[in-house]
Amino acid sequence: MKERTLERRRRLEEVLRRRQPDLTVLMENVHKPHNLSAILRTCDAVGILQAHAVNPTGGVPTFNETSGGSHKWVYLEVHPTTEAAFRHLRERGFSVYATALKEGARDYREVDYTRPTAIVLGAEKWGVSEEALALADGLIHIPMLGMVQSLNVSVAAAVILFEAQRQRLQAGLYDRPRLDPELYQKILEDWLRK
Ligand code: SAM
């Protein structure tokens, strides 16, 4: 194998060994390509293997240069409805926390992100749907102390996901491969073809 090919394989393996199959986001009607792209870029940076979406961009996800190419490395599963997305995540053991700018939502730093966790992010205009808020295991918010009520959705995603990364680094969850060997091999082969 040529040195450059070997080097690329080593790099892919290094990244894959840090992927966290039990941390994810569910983007509910996040339709602007630059927000979707920026969130996927953050997902890549914290080691998310697969993100989820309900109805992004009206059905077909589109990305732009904001993704920095991260949409190649973070799988995106699109669900037809919020209910279907929750069912999918629950069946795989995730606790699902919805972001909510509401009284009663907990400070996002109080959650234990070392457990299987999915974060629901909402539409730019309307936020997370009432349906998702009702289905969620808990509501979380990032305290806002200024004049403006909310953050841009991709910024909120980054704040929460980097707290998850901090907790997982501390717990040693990036120190050993988290994927089972069969899945690891399958994904490596897929990545090598890209
Ligand atoms: N008017 C909307 C509302 O009341 O939810 C604002 C939506 S905000 C621009 C878009 C998304 O960003 C929210 O649904 C949430 O996912 C995330 N977000 C923004 N600010 C947040 C905060 N302070 N805490 C948690 N999530 C936040």
Side-chain angles (χ1 to χ4, degrees), residues 20-27 39-40 43 46-53 74-77 79 85 88-90 92 94-97 113 115-121 157 160-161 164 168:
Q20 307 284 305
D22 55 355
L23 178 66
T24 192
V25 293
L26 170 58
M27 297 172 277
I39 293 169
L40 281 196
C43 286
V46 304
I48 287 179
L49 178 71
Q50 182 176 44
H52 298 265
V74 180
Y75 295 102
L76 179 66
E77 181 151 4
H79 302 271
H88 177 95
L89 291 167
R90 287 257 164 69
R92 285 156 183 78
F94 284 90
S95 291
V96 187
Y97 291 93
Y113 298 100
R115 295 165 168 272
T117 310
I119 308 296
V120 188
L121 301 158
I160 297 168
L161 290 176
R168 283 175 176 247

Side-chain angles (χ1 to χ4, degrees), residues 20 114 166-178:
Q20 307 284 305
T114 63
R166 186 190 68 78
Q167 291 185 14
R168 283 175 176 247
L169 278 168
Q170 208 165 47
L173 294 182
Y174 294 96
D175 298 346
R176 56 179 189 280
R178 303 287 322 289

Side-chain angles (χ1 to χ4, degrees), residues 1-11 192:
M1 230 185 276
K2 283 200 188 122
E3 189 52 38
R4 227 161 15 142
T5 313
L6 269 175
E7 187 50 46
R8 180 170 188 268
R9 187 189 176 98
R10 269 198 292 269
R11 172 90 183 111
L192 283 166

Side-chain angles (χ1 to χ4, degrees), residues 99 101 121-128 141-142 144 150-151 153 156:
T99 49
L101 310 167
L121 301 158
E124 288 82 352
K125 211 165 182 175
W126 313 113
V128 171
H141 81 293
I142 302 162
M144 302 287 296
S150 66
L151 296 167
V153 63

Side-chain angles (χ1 to χ4, degrees), residues 122-193:
E124 288 82 352
K125 211 165 182 175
W126 313 113
V128 171
S129 71
E130 288 299 326
E131 183 188 11
L133 294 179
L135 286 170
D137 295 296
L139 307 183
I140 53 172
H141 81 293
I142 302 162
M144 302 287 296
L145 306 179
M147 292 291 287
V148 181
Q149 222 196 352
S150 66
L151 296 167
N152 168 276
V153 63
S154 66
V155 174
V159 169
I160 297 168
L161 290 176
F162 276 93
E163 169 61 11
Q165 188 210 58
R166 186 190 68 78
Q167 291 185 14
R168 283 175 176 247
L169 278 168
Q170 208 165 47
L173 294 182
Y174 294 96
D175 298 346
R176 56 179 189 280
R178 303 287 322 289
L179 304 180
D180 72 61
E182 206 179 314
L183 182 61
Y184 177 95
Q185 205 48 46
K186 205 170 133 206
I187 293 175
L188 181 61
E189 278 160 27
D190 183 43
W191 283 14
L192 283 166
R193 284 192 294 270

